[in-house]
Amino acid sequence: SMLCVEDYLDALKWADSKGGVEGLVKISQENLSIVKEWVDSTPWASFLAKDPATVSCTSICLSLDGLDGDQLKKMTSLLEEKNAAV
């Protein structure tokens, strides 16, 4: 439909405003660097990928080790409240 075409055109405009492919790659690598720093300083978080060569900057997957159900619920509620994981 034309709505899909418009969404696609908006996405291309947004990507262009971020510097195109090079800009988007740079942003994703910077974001991964921030997450890596956090993981390194957080004893209960680790990357799901055990081999650092397979950690992706476009699909970051974490393992939250040692947290119980209530702690996970609190964390997900906080992320939702802060609009950080939508």
Side-chain angles (χ1 to χ4, degrees):
S1 76
M2 290 307 294
L3 288 175
C4 292
V5 172
E6 284 299 318
D7 284 348
Y8 184 73
L9 292 174
D10 284 343
L12 289 175
K13 288 176 191 172
W14 175 82
D16 191 46
S17 76
K18 299 298 179 187
V21 172
E22 295 83 10
L24 294 176
V25 168
K26 182 179 181 230
I27 290 168
S28 66
Q29 289 172 338
E30 289 170 351
N31 288 339
L32 177 59
S33 178
I34 292 166
V35 173
K36 278 184 180 180
E37 287 179 26
W38 178 78
V39 166
D40 289 344
S41 67
T42 307
W44 47 266
S46 60
F47 286 102
L48 189 59
K50 298 305 177 198
D51 180 357
T54 62
V55 173
S56 170
C57 65
T58 58
S59 181
I60 298 173
C61 297
L62 299 175
S63 177
L64 306 177
D65 307 314
L67 296 183
D68 64 33
D70 288 338
Q71 291 169 313
L72 288 172
K73 286 178 188 175
K74 185 176 179 180
M75 181 179 190
T76 55
S77 293
L78 180 62
L79 289 170
E80 185 176 346
E81 176 185 311
K82 299 294 182 180
N83 207 22
V86 290

